[in-house]
Amino acid sequence: MHVEQLTCALGAQISDINLAEAGTNDDMAGELNGLLLKHKVLFFRDQDITDSQHAALARRFGDLEDHPLAASTQGEPGIIQIWKSPESPPERYENAWHNDATWRECPPMGAVLRCVECPPVGGDTMWANMELAFERLPERVKEDIIDLRARHSMEASFMAAKPINERLAMKERFPDPEHPVVRTHPVTGNKSLFVNAFATHFTNYHTAKRVRFGQDHTQGTGELLRYLISQAHIPEYQVRWRWTPNSIAMWDNRCTQHYAVMDYPPCIRRMNRATIIGDRPF
């Protein structure tokens, strides 16, 4: 296989490979895992694979999970459909910088996303290296946030527009978890910034070293959280991928965020995703 690094921050395009083989080829799967740890997001073109081959590829990295609000493909519950059309509801949730499903106690380890159909122009996806985002923070900020924790919410995002009974029922299933603001990668040991569009507030900010009066907490916590979330917006930390049918992206959700650019209505964009179960952040 040929590996082409795409930016200084993250991302590599892999060619001369047939991903349909990865589900049964231990050497290929091991090499892909090493490349994923190095580049954080991998891209592939011209991969005409079936849903079952897609799922088999993703399962080399772990078991797959469904999504409570997204339909799965017929016969492959581990493959969810992210399908948009002119008739789709106007609400969009993927066009914000986020790690997938940090509203779970154990957010996904990663995902494998396959383009089934896309507009001729638009509908790109961007990724950001959140290890680099943490590394380049001012030292005083890194020292201040190293022990902070934050609450992440599905209720405040996907469920906000739902009727109250549906919203409360879903919160029973997915209570807002608390995650470290600075996460340690379980394989590499690298630190990354782990707050995103699902983060609502810090849970342990209000301490004597940070707060003198109530306004210190009200303004300080909000401004700091917004500042940290905004680090994914910096172009030097990003890579942008233009989709074509049968192209695939595979990413490490533990140390990257992504943003699906919603600039393509009224076109159709159909993506199938395998989401790999992860572990509890620490």
Side-chain angles (χ1 to χ4, degrees):
M1 65 180 74
H2 177 71
V3 181
E4 179 187 0
Q5 185 173 336
L6 296 184
T7 74
C8 295
L10 77 168
Q13 183 171 339
I14 315 299
S15 55
D16 300 323
I17 182 174
N18 179 5
L19 286 178
E21 299 177 13
T24 56
N25 187 317
D26 291 341
D27 291 338
M28 183 183 294
E31 190 163 356
L32 288 175
N33 184 59
L35 289 170
L36 184 63
L37 291 173
K38 178 179 180 180
H39 296 287
K40 298 176 174 54
V41 55
L42 305 178
F43 301 103
F44 310 84
R45 297 278 188 202
D46 304 319
Q47 300 292 324
D48 188 9
I49 63 176
T50 65
D51 287 334
S52 61
Q53 290 169 332
H54 183 172
L57 164 64
R59 287 193 180 101
R60 299 309 301 260
F61 297 86
D63 294 331
L64 306 186
E65 66 184 21
D66 62 4
H67 192 288
L69 298 176
S72 297
T73 59
Q74 189 171 10
E76 279 295 343
I79 304 292
I80 65 170
Q81 298 172 328
I82 307 174
W83 289 13
K84 307 295 182 183
S85 73
E87 294 73 39
S88 298
E91 296 85 5
R92 297 290 187 268
Y93 297 101
E94 67 269 29
N95 60 333
W97 283 104
H98 64 287
N99 310 75
D100 280 329
T102 57
W103 38 264
R104 292 184 185 269
E105 289 286 348
C106 295
M109 166 263 159
V112 181
L113 184 65
R114 175 167 56 101
C115 177
V116 178
E117 183 178 1
C118 60
V121 177
D124 299 351
T125 303
M126 301 186 293
W127 282 262
N129 180 344
M130 301 314 294
E131 290 180 358
L132 194 57
F134 173 72
E135 176 188 325
R136 294 188 178 174
L137 284 172
E139 288 300 322
R140 59 177 179 79
V141 176
K142 287 196 277 191
E143 292 171 5
D144 194 32
I145 68 173
I146 196 67
D147 64 339
L148 280 180
R149 300 180 68 82
R151 190 73 66 187
H152 294 241
S153 178
M154 184 189 197
E155 180 185 36
S157 50
F158 289 115
M159 299 307 298
K162 301 289 187 182
I164 187 171
N165 59 322
E166 291 184 32
R167 176 166 55 80
L168 295 178
M170 191 64 78
K171 189 168 186 181
E172 284 290 317
R173 289 182 60 192
F174 299 100
D176 296 347
E178 177 183 295
H179 297 311
V181 168
V182 180
R183 178 175 184 170
T184 303
H185 196 288
V187 180
T188 67
N190 294 337
K191 303 289 186 184
S192 65
L193 198 55
F194 200 64
V195 288
N196 60 71
F198 294 122
T200 58
H201 64 281
F202 300 125
T203 53
N204 61 336
Y205 183 89
H206 200 303
T207 59
K209 73 176 183 178
R210 297 188 180 95
V211 178
R212 304 162 304 157
F213 307 104
Q215 67 186 39
D216 291 349
H217 174 261
T218 303
Q219 295 178 12
T221 185
E223 290 173 0
L224 179 57
L225 182 57
R226 285 189 293 272
Y227 170 73
L228 295 177
I229 290 174
S230 75
Q231 297 306 297
H233 308 173
I234 296 174
E236 286 81 357
Y237 305 160
Q238 299 171 3
V239 64
R240 182 167 180 146
W241 178 248
R242 184 170 184 178
W243 294 101
T244 52
N246 294 325
S247 58
I248 288 177
M250 176 189 307
W251 67 92
D252 190 330
N253 191 59
R254 299 165 293 192
C255 57
T256 66
Q257 292 188 32
H258 56 281
Y259 185 116
V261 182
M262 219 285 290
D263 59 353
Y264 54 88
C267 297
I268 291 173
R269 184 177 186 267
R270 294 177 178 167
M271 315 292 285
N272 285 2
R273 189 180 82 194
T275 311
I276 304 155
I277 293 174
D279 51 11
R280 188 181 302 276
F282 63 92

